[in-house]
Each structure stands twice: as structure tokens, then as C-alpha cells.
Amino acid sequence: MKTNKFLRICIIVLLVVINVGCDQVSKSIVRKNIDAYEHIELIDDNLILTKVENTGAFLSAGGTLPEPIRNVLLSLVPALVLVGALSYAFFNQSLKTSALIGLCFIIGGGIGNVFDRIKYGSVTDFLHIQLGWFETGIFNMADVSIMIGFGLLLLQYFRKSEIPQEN
């Protein structure tokens, strides 16, 4: 039984580290090789690299707040939430595999962005997708991890709600 708990903890740590690592490596490459607001087309005009430093949260929300308030709302509070989520992942043995993986992706992406805020004062965003009428804001690999994680959690939620209740 202790081996299963140890293996579970190792898998959680590995998933989180892989997500943080992919995020930080990609941001490091972008910081070193792409100028601010440089426009590099990867797939025609559909996938574009363009480096921006985001001092706010999603779509720059909160970026104009005074620095002490911004630091608390965008660094300290998320860091505390991530510690809580990581504790939940470690100790909630009833989490289904897809939910646990989703939670690890969210935690890894969150750590990547919080790390940037603490170290650089902003988050490096660099990916932009434009496919006909569909267009994203500029985002990074941490954001991709977070979205995949939420997708897995939603999938688990809807699977659970499809199970008929016995009376």
C-alpha cells in the first residue's frame, strides 16, 4: 500500500515538473531569441510567434493595478491556491486518473506563470492562433497546460454526471 502512495506522489511530481519544464524552456527560448512584438509566422498567418510581457492575468486583466496589489492578487493568492491544489492532489486518494492528470496540468501551468511573475514581474506570452473567424489572445505553454487540465476536469465531470443514479 505504501508503494502505491509513493508511486502516486512520484507521478504527481513528474507531471507537474514536466509541465513547468516545458513552459519554462519555451519561455527561455522566446526571451533569448525573439524581440518584443516581433511577428514570426510559423504556419502561414495561422500560428504566429510574437513576444509580449504580460503584467496582468488572463488577457492582461489587473495589469494596471498598483504594484503591491497586483503582486498580492497575481502572485501570492495564486501561489497559495497552487499549494492547496497540490495538497489536494497528494492527499485525495479518490480522484480519478483523468481528474488527477488535469489537476497536475493546472498546477504545473500555474507554477510556471507564478514563477515568471515573481522572477520577472511579468509573464512572457508568445503564441497567437488565427484560423478564420477563430482568434486567440497571445498565450504561452503554461496557459496551454492550464486549458488542457481544465478540459480533463470537465471531461471527468461530465463522465461522472452521465452515470445513472440508483434509487
Side-chain angles (χ1 to χ4, degrees), residues 139-151:
F139 60 97
N140 59 46
M141 293 308 294
D143 301 330
V144 171
S145 290
I146 292 167
M147 294 305 293
I148 290 171
F150 274 115

Side-chain angles (χ1 to χ4, degrees), residues 104-120:
C104 289
F105 272 62
I106 292 168
I107 294 166
I111 289 171
N113 281 342
V114 168
F115 177 82
D116 280 6
R117 283 188 202 294
I118 292 169
K119 184 170 182 180
Y120 302 106

Side-chain angles (χ1 to χ4, degrees), residues 20-166:
V20 173
C22 288
D23 173 62
Q24 290 300 305
V25 166
S26 65
K27 288 175 182 172
S28 177
I29 291 168
V30 167
R31 282 188 203 102
K32 289 177 185 169
N33 297 301
I34 298 177
D35 294 326
Y37 303 104
E38 186 176 351
H39 185 94
I40 301 170
E41 293 180 10
L42 295 181
I43 302 174
D44 294 325
D45 202 25
N46 299 315
L47 179 61
I48 301 155
L49 288 180
T50 184
K51 182 176 90 172
V52 297
E53 294 299 328
N54 184 356
T55 57
F58 179 70
L59 298 175
S60 300
T64 59
L65 290 171
E67 190 172 346
I69 294 170
R70 190 174 63 231
N71 288 339
V72 169
L73 290 178
L74 301 180
S75 296
L76 182 60
V77 171
L80 293 173
V81 169
L82 289 168
V83 168
L86 194 55
S87 297
Y88 184 76
F90 283 141
F91 297 113
N92 186 341
Q93 300 295 318
S94 67
L95 275 175
K96 299 289 185 197
T97 302
S98 62
L100 181 62
I101 292 170
L103 190 56
C104 289
F105 272 62
I106 292 168
I107 294 166
I111 289 171
N113 281 342
V114 168
F115 177 82
D116 280 6
R117 283 188 202 294
I118 292 169
K119 184 170 182 180
Y120 302 106
S122 64
V123 174
T124 302
D125 290 332
F126 56 91
L127 292 167
H128 178 239
I129 297 173
Q130 187 170 357
L131 296 168
W133 59 267
F134 176 78
E135 183 174 357
T136 66
I138 301 171
F139 60 97
N140 59 46
M141 293 308 294
D143 301 330
V144 171
S145 290
I146 292 167
M147 294 305 293
I148 290 171
F150 274 115
L152 289 170
L153 289 178
L154 281 172
L155 183 65
Q156 179 62 38
Y157 172 78
F158 286 117
R159 275 192 199 153
K160 185 187 272 187
S161 66
E162 290 175 5
I163 298 171
Q165 300 285 331
E166 289 187 34

